[in-house]
Amino acid sequence: MNSASDNTAGDRAGSDWPDYELVDFGAGRRLERFGEWLLDRPCPAAIDGAKQTPAAWRDAIARYDGARATDGDWTPKPKKWANDAAISVPLGGDREFTLGLTPTPAGQIGVFPEQLVNWRWIAERTARLAALRPSDPPRVLNLFAYTGGSTLAAAVAGAAVTHVDASKPSVELAKQNAERSGLADAPVRWIVEDVLRYCQREVKRGSRYDAVILDPPTYGHGPKGEAWRLGRDLPVLLELCATLVDRAPQFFLATCHTPGVGPAELSAYLSDAVVGHCGQPPASGRLWLATPTGRRLESGVWARWPR
């Protein structure tokens, strides 16, 4: 179901983004440049390969190590290098937004560069819809919205966005990213709530959206301890989303990093619940990052509609 452009789209994240570069990967780690900050982090997808440019790794300004994703640490401590660190994300034309680097005890930094291709797609789809109805901003629902990359991509293109995440710290970081991007006054609703519960309430309220974006984790917990399991809960969530867009979305995007869920599986989830009756199947593919030498690092999967 993938076109040639779908298969190669993710590679561009490493080639036309001045503030980001995947320098090298291998031996279970990846070396990335975010602006002036060169970071060395674990990467399960790189476990089988070897590092190609060993000398480059010595220039990293910080390294993350940990036996598990929740008990690691940065060396040196983030306060010595990450204060006010931020990068610009180019969406095409004069559209862009800014993301802060926010190192966490789990080794994340609040930026997911493999999503650049999707952020650009969101901005393009949103802008197209906004141009057709300038007095009625597209209503976009962003679920598992984390630090707000997709929210900002939609907002900068003219959408009214509802940003939902169960983590209050993540939502606060997303608000800070909106301020960095000059979007503090954009029509964004910031919601700290369990995603399933929020969508159930929205259905009961009769709310409607033009588009939905979601990046569900494999496992997770809501603010009140609600358990999320992708295999069990994603079909339920997608049925709720289908109702919220009247089974006729202007666009719909899902991404996933769950082992065993490939492009075909994610596309089937989306087709079965939301767009299977629309006459055209979703497009789907893999998210990639590329080094300057062309080596590709798989970084998840996506499915989106329309193609």
Side-chain angles (χ1 to χ4, degrees):
M1 289 189 293
N2 305 329
S3 68
S5 61
D6 293 332
N7 286 328
T8 60
D11 297 347
R12 294 198 298 269
S15 60
D16 67 344
W17 186 355
D19 274 0
Y20 175 77
E21 180 182 331
L22 175 63
V23 178
D24 193 14
F25 62 89
R29 304 191 69 84
R30 58 183 175 181
L31 183 68
E32 298 164 288
R33 180 183 59 79
F34 295 87
E36 64 187 72
W37 299 273
L38 188 64
L39 305 181
D40 175 358
R41 300 189 290 159
C43 179
I47 195 70
D48 294 329
K51 298 175 182 178
Q52 298 297 301
T53 56
W57 295 74
R58 293 194 290 268
D59 294 329
I61 66 164
R63 174 185 169 99
Y64 177 87
D65 288 287
R68 297 194 305 270
T70 56
D71 66 355
D73 206 356
W74 290 90
T75 306
K77 299 294 185 183
K79 65 181 180 180
K80 294 185 177 181
W81 58 270
N83 292 335
D84 300 320
I87 62 171
S88 177
V89 181
L91 298 176
D94 59 355
R95 296 191 192 101
E96 64 179 12
F97 60 85
T98 301
L99 294 176
L101 303 187
T102 53
T104 73
Q108 301 289 358
I109 57 168
V111 179
F112 297 87
E114 69 275 8
Q115 294 286 0
L116 177 65
V117 63
N118 285 325
W119 293 335
R120 289 176 171 173
W121 186 83
I122 290 165
E124 187 274 331
R125 285 285 169 183
T126 301
R128 185 183 303 181
L129 183 57
L132 293 174
R133 35 188 258 200
S135 62
D136 182 19
R139 299 188 68 214
V140 176
L141 177 63
N142 186 16
L143 304 173
F144 307 102
Y146 198 46
T147 54
S150 294
T151 292
L152 300 179
V156 78
V161 186
T162 299
H163 174 112
V164 187
D165 197 279
S167 167
K168 185 175 181 179
S170 292
V171 174
E172 289 302 316
L173 290 173
K175 289 181 182 180
Q176 293 172 21
N177 285 330
E179 293 172 359
R180 290 185 178 98
S181 304
L183 294 169
D185 296 326
V188 179
R189 298 172 62 219
W190 307 101
I191 308 294
V192 179
E193 191 168 349
D194 176 74
V195 163
L196 266 177
R197 286 195 175 187
Y198 180 79
C199 288
Q200 288 165 348
R201 277 199 279 270
E202 284 289 86
V203 168
K204 289 180 180 179
R205 287 189 283 252
S207 299
R208 292 296 182 265
Y209 295 87
D210 295 301
V212 175
I213 304 161
L214 68 158
D215 182 27
T218 305
Y219 304 104
H221 291 88
K224 298 180 180 179
E226 305 94 334
W228 165 269
R229 300 292 182 269
L230 185 138
R232 179 192 68 195
D233 297 326
L234 183 58
V236 177
L237 177 60
L238 289 174
E239 285 290 344
L240 293 169
C241 290
T243 299
L244 292 173
V245 295
D246 280 332
R247 298 189 181 273
Q250 295 296 320
F251 66 84
F252 203 109
L253 169 66
T255 54
C256 185
H257 300 79
T258 298
V261 178
E265 290 78 12
L266 189 58
S267 178
Y269 274 125
L270 190 54
S271 184
D272 289 347
V274 185
V275 298
H277 65 287
C278 293
Q280 184 186 64
S284 62
R286 298 188 182 276
L287 293 167
W288 302 93
L289 294 170
T291 68
T293 60
R295 296 175 67 218
R296 301 202 307 178
L297 178 65
E298 185 177 338
S299 303
V301 300
W302 56 265
R304 63 196 186 200
W305 190 93
R307 300 173 68 87

